[in-house]
Amino acid sequence: MKNKYKKALLSVASVGFWILVWHITASLANRRLLFKIPLPYNTVKAFFTYAETALFRRAVGNSLAHIICGFLFAVVLGLICGILSGNSVVFKTVTSPVSRLIRSVPVAAFIILAWLWIPSSVIPAVISFLMVFPIVWIQVETALSGIDYKLIEMASILGMSRKDIIKNIKIPSVLPSFRNACITGLGFAWKSGVAAEVICNPTGSIGALLSNAKSNLEYEQVFAIVLTIIILSLILENVIKFFWRESR
Amino acid sequence: MIKFDNVSFSYGKKEVLKNFSLTVNRGSRICLFGESGCGKTTVLRLLLGLEKVKIGKIETPSQLRYAVVFQEDRLIPFKTVLQNVELFAKDRERAVDNLEALGLSQNLNSYPGELSGGMQRRVAIARALSLDFDVLILDEPFTGLDDGNIKLAASRILKIAADRPVILVSHSKSEAELLGADIVYMK
């Protein structure tokens, strides 16, 4: 208990330290007119002012909806492909160029490619999907292929049904990797989705707000939006971790 | 009950069994004895259907239920000791009885990774003994056990197996004697 309290205090202190560094850096930069950096106080003030507007709340809602949609679709399809390629050499061989291609193409290239054919409002969802899909696929496939075949052999010889082998050996073996893929994937989905929004500017999205604020040289607003992106990323990460803990 | 009739088997070009014949009757206990690589485990794999008989034949009654203590413990690492046994046992009571009889009453909720090698071996033995079986197969079952635990495990095996056939693979004649098994020398 004491350790937990100490750890929490240390975390708060470290955040405080970096805010102080930010404050000092911003003060020095602004005083010498090197470049403008908004002060932490002004950023937080801009954040709360912004948060009260319907435009901002709608943008957050839209971005979350699109990116989570892409993420969920990627999780489901990645799981299916992972199971298929973990169990079938033919499927794995036939589809491996696809997964390799998706993993090796840079996210910016995907955004531009997608922009050729897809309406800008859908691109964040598509990009989130493309970032998460191979992560889930490969993690599930690797976990399935890594199951000790001697365990399966033992269970089968000792009379365990195929259904029970899946329930008692295969699923628990794959679950930790699948969980990690989802946690890592959600972070990727959020970052790449917002990047897609910044590039493609779909109306009513966080990325578009960020892009507009930058164009208008509204420094406090740029920082406030970045702060929002960070906060939402942390919330999403903790929600998924909580979900996994509860479902265990 | 089980009859190997002139069975020959090779892994690739390496011949492991040549014209091997053996009859295991109801209630008989036999020990396959010989040096490493002489084909003892192959006999078990052929019997369990893990390898296909190409030359000769094996006759068994249909729907024979096997309980096996494998050469490796093959415990499920993310299940507790009790779960490892209970998953295969006829009922929970039998699983607990066997684990307690093998001196594992304090470890029912431990995970295999938390146990010593000898304890894991006893869990593997308890798992096999908790099954509903017609034939008990023991592939070097006492590896890693001290003398006291070998005697404990042997007496439990004899009690549970009763008049059902037991096929033991071992390097040790004393283990065969403990189980009262007839030795089949393999070369």
Side-chain angles (χ1 to χ4, degrees):
Chain A
M1 190 69 190
K2 211 173 176 183
N3 265 345
K4 207 175 166 186
Y5 186 71
K6 210 172 162 183
K7 208 175 161 187
L9 203 71
L10 199 69
S11 300
V12 173
S14 75
V15 172
F17 169 76
W18 287 110
I19 290 175
L20 187 69
V21 170
W22 173 10
H23 182 85
I24 293 167
T25 313
S27 302
L28 286 174
N30 295 342
R31 200 174 300 156
R32 300 195 176 182
L33 295 174
L34 291 171
F35 41 83
K36 191 181 171 190
I37 301 178
L39 292 166
Y41 171 75
N42 293 340
T43 303
V44 173
K45 204 172 126 189
F47 169 76
F48 281 112
T49 313
Y50 225 170
E52 282 175 7
T53 63
L55 176 77
F56 179 79
R57 287 201 295 267
R58 205 167 44 240
V60 168
N62 280 343
S63 295
L64 278 175
H66 283 131
I67 292 167
I68 289 174
C69 199
F71 168 77
L72 290 176
F73 195 54
V75 167
V76 173
L77 207 66
L79 183 63
I80 293 169
C81 286
I83 291 170
L84 288 173
S85 53
N87 285 301
S88 157
V89 181
V90 176
F91 186 87
K92 188 179 172 178
T93 313
V94 170
T95 55
S96 71
V98 179
S99 77
R100 232 176 273 170
L101 182 82
I102 298 175
R103 276 181 290 157
S104 56
V105 175
V107 63
F110 261 134
I111 295 169
I112 301 297
L113 272 174
W115 212 0
L116 290 174
W117 305 291
I118 301 171
S120 62
S121 60
V122 188
I123 291 175
V126 173
I127 295 303
S128 302
F129 167 81
L130 287 170
M131 290 301 107
V132 181
F133 174 58
I135 298 175
V136 177
W137 179 356
I138 299 301
Q139 288 278 345
V140 171
E141 179 199 305
T142 310
L144 265 175
S145 324
I147 296 175
D148 186 357
Y149 81 92
K150 286 184 173 175
L151 277 185
I152 309 286
E153 190 182 85
M154 171 277 294
S156 169
I157 290 170
L158 299 188
M160 193 182 267
S161 67
R162 222 178 138 172
K163 191 179 127 202
D164 283 342
I165 289 176
I166 292 171
K167 184 182 148 199
N168 292 304
I169 299 177
K170 291 196 172 183
I171 291 178
S173 297
V174 171
L175 216 54
S177 300
F178 179 61
R179 184 177 58 217
N180 289 341
C182 288
I183 293 169
T184 316
L186 190 58
F188 274 111
W190 181 242
K191 280 177 229 167
S192 57
V194 171
E197 287 179 349
V198 170
I199 295 173
C200 306
N201 270 304
T203 322
S205 67
I206 292 183
L209 288 183
L210 183 63
S211 184
N212 292 340
K214 189 253 166 198
S215 303
N216 299 330
L217 297 175
E218 293 164 337
Y219 286 80
E220 275 85 10
Q221 286 189 358
V222 169
F223 269 61
I225 296 166
V226 171
L227 185 68
T228 309
I229 292 168
I230 294 169
I231 291 169
L232 287 173
S233 174
L234 290 173
I235 290 172
L236 286 175
E237 192 185 316
N238 283 303
V239 164
I240 197 163
K241 278 183 181 166
F242 177 78
F243 168 76
W244 277 115
R245 211 171 29 236
E246 288 298 298
S247 66
R248 226 183 284 174
Chain B
M1 189 176 191
I2 298 169
K3 194 174 175 191
F4 282 73
D5 190 6
N6 275 314
V7 175
S8 298
F9 187 81
S10 308
Y11 288 108
K13 283 181 182 172
K14 193 186 171 200
E15 191 172 57
V16 190
L17 287 178
K18 193 175 180 185
N19 299 327
F20 178 79
S21 295
L22 175 74
T23 305
V24 182
N25 294 314
R26 194 174 298 277
S28 69
R29 291 193 283 271
I30 60 139
C31 171
L32 302 177
F33 186 86
E35 290 174 6
S36 297
C38 69
K40 304 186 294 287
T41 299
T42 305
V43 171
L44 302 186
R45 291 185 67 81
L46 286 164
L47 180 60
L48 293 170
L50 298 173
E51 306 290 351
K52 217 170 177 180
V53 183
K54 287 168 191 159
I55 302 168
K57 62 179 177 180
I58 301 174
E59 288 170 21
T60 58
S62 58
Q63 302 296 318
L64 212 52
R65 294 166 303 172
Y66 297 102
V68 186
V69 176
F70 296 88
Q71 210 171 48
E72 318 84 8
D73 303 319
R74 301 196 188 191
L75 301 178
I76 304 171
F78 40 80
K79 300 276 183 195
T80 64
V81 163
L82 182 57
Q83 287 168 338
N84 258 288
V85 178
E86 203 182 355
L87 272 174
F88 301 91
K90 192 190 172 201
D91 52 54
R92 186 187 172 92
E93 199 184 337
R94 195 191 283 193
V96 175
D97 277 355
N98 281 319
L99 285 165
E100 283 180 351
L102 291 170
L104 293 161
S105 52
Q106 303 295 314
N107 307 94
L108 300 184
N109 295 315
S110 304
Y111 286 90
E114 298 167 345
L115 305 179
S116 68
M119 286 165 132
Q120 291 184 30
R121 199 70 190 136
R122 281 182 276 152
V123 178
I125 295 171
R127 178 179 62 197
L129 296 180
S130 301
L131 281 152
D132 256 346
F133 64 88
D134 300 308
V135 181
L136 178 61
I137 294 176
L138 307 164
D139 195 354
E140 299 179 23
F142 304 127
T143 309
L145 298 187
D146 57 46
D147 288 346
N149 278 315
I150 289 177
K151 281 179 188 153
L152 191 72
S155 72
R156 190 67 187 172
I157 289 167
L158 288 173
K159 185 180 174 192
I160 300 289
D163 59 349
R164 287 173 284 191
V166 177
I167 303 175
L168 167 73
V169 163
S170 180
H171 294 292
S172 158
K173 285 183 182 172
S174 63
E175 288 176 4
E177 283 164 14
L178 262 178
L179 292 177
D182 298 325
I183 295 177
V184 174
Y185 290 92
M186 292 183 69
K187 284 179 187 170

